[in-house]
Amino acid sequence: MPLRLDRAFLRVSGPDTVGFLDNLLTQDVTRLEDTGVNYAALLTPQGKIVADMFLWSERWLWEESGRTDFTCILIELDRNRASEVSRRLSMYKLRAVLTIEDVTDSRVALWAPPPDSIRGGAPDPRLPGAAHGWRAVSGPLAYQPDDGTAEYEAWRIAAGIPDLARDALLEEVFAGEALLEELNGVAFDKGCFVGQENVSRMKRRATTRKKLCPIVFEGEAISFGTPVLAGEAEIGSVRTGLAGRAIALLRLDRALEAATAGKTLTAGGREIRLDPPPWLILPQGPE
């Protein structure tokens, strides 16, 4: 049985939709008709995260113009970032022929943990595969699925997947620090997008030292924002978490150096350990 997630939806529609979003977002929007759903983000010109999102493609009939179809794209995102993303898209719109609407009240985000699939859904594009859950978007339903927020949070923290509206502040982290590369959120082979120059430079020079990374520990959850220490040096802070596990924003190079040197990492007076998933790209070499 699929579970309901508390998400917001923006609908962007009109003949300029694909080109408009492709020029702004980190993902190659022109491929959306083939994939059905993509993971992407809107960045600042400096390359920091405004919001991450899922892009869903729908086919519509535009009878007024005589065209047989055009692409309407639904942006699924955290409710706390929806108004800011809508504002920035409207600012960039200029003469583009399209409309931007908040359709949250008429859409439902659905999620199912592995190995279940949802009819009409798709594998989570961040980590494709049967082991990483399914997502779907529906219109009004005859039944109300159970609220799956708590179960989803446990699943994504166990998988090491950050939620950029919960694990980072607005414009706090760069794309590389937010794991957009690892989670299939950036198309490096497409043209320009907002913040692209900084994203490409950091990838090319391998200069991303700070990253979101899972940590493990004994006992109850550690409070959000608790400093992470390597000896007496502060190297980051804990973000969202549950008993025994959390996501932390760390100077990962320093954390790895400390672990190699046998130094204990602590948070809130408790020993913690790094638990990076195998797909996380670790910092390379000295700064």
Side-chain angles (χ1 to χ4, degrees), residues 174 176-177 197-208:
F174 290 102
E177 298 171 346
E197 182 178 353
N198 202 354
V199 173
S200 296
R201 181 172 63 251
M202 293 180 75
K203 174 179 171 59
R204 185 173 63 252
R205 297 180 179 176
T207 55
T208 302

Side-chain angles (χ1 to χ4, degrees), residues 68-101:
T68 58
D69 59 53
F70 72 97
T71 301
C72 169
I73 294 177
L74 287 176
I75 300 176
E76 176 203 338
L77 71 169
D78 187 274
R79 286 178 180 250
N80 292 325
R81 298 288 170 90
S83 61
E84 181 62 19
V85 169
S86 180
R87 183 186 72 82
R88 296 194 189 213
L89 292 181
S90 298
M91 178 182 69
Y92 284 119
K93 179 183 174 182
L94 300 177
R95 296 183 180 180
V97 182
L98 53 85
T99 59
I100 302 166
E101 308 167 85

Side-chain angles (χ1 to χ4, degrees), residues 121-217:
D124 191 311
R126 293 172 295 185
L127 291 173
H132 295 291
W134 284 69
R135 307 183 73 94
V137 174
S138 173
L141 297 172
Y143 72 99
Q144 187 66 269
D146 293 337
D147 182 356
T149 301
E151 186 172 346
Y152 173 78
E153 280 291 288
W155 169 82
R156 69 139 186 116
I157 291 172
I161 300 174
D163 180 330
L164 301 183
R166 297 172 183 266
D167 293 315
L169 304 176
L170 182 71
E171 300 185 24
E172 180 184 16
V173 293
F174 290 102
E177 298 171 346
L179 313 189
L180 284 194
E181 179 178 357
E182 290 95 329
L183 296 174
N184 300 306
V186 182
F188 289 101
D189 58 348
K190 65 172 259 181
C192 293
F193 55 85
V194 176
Q196 183 263 348
E197 182 178 353
N198 202 354
V199 173
S200 296
R201 181 172 63 251
M202 293 180 75
K203 174 179 171 59
R204 185 173 63 252
R205 297 180 179 176
T207 55
T208 302
R209 306 295 176 186
K210 182 195 299 182
K211 285 200 171 189
L212 290 160
C213 177
I215 58 172
V216 293
F217 46 87

Side-chain angles (χ1 to χ4, degrees), residues 61-72:
L61 179 64
W62 198 14
E63 297 177 344
E64 290 80 2
S65 69
R67 296 176 58 167
T68 58
D69 59 53
F70 72 97
T71 301
C72 169

Side-chain angles (χ1 to χ4, degrees), residues 29-42:
V29 183
T30 67
R31 299 174 184 169
L32 190 57
E33 284 301 310
D34 297 324
T35 61
V37 57
N38 280 336
Y39 179 59
L42 177 64

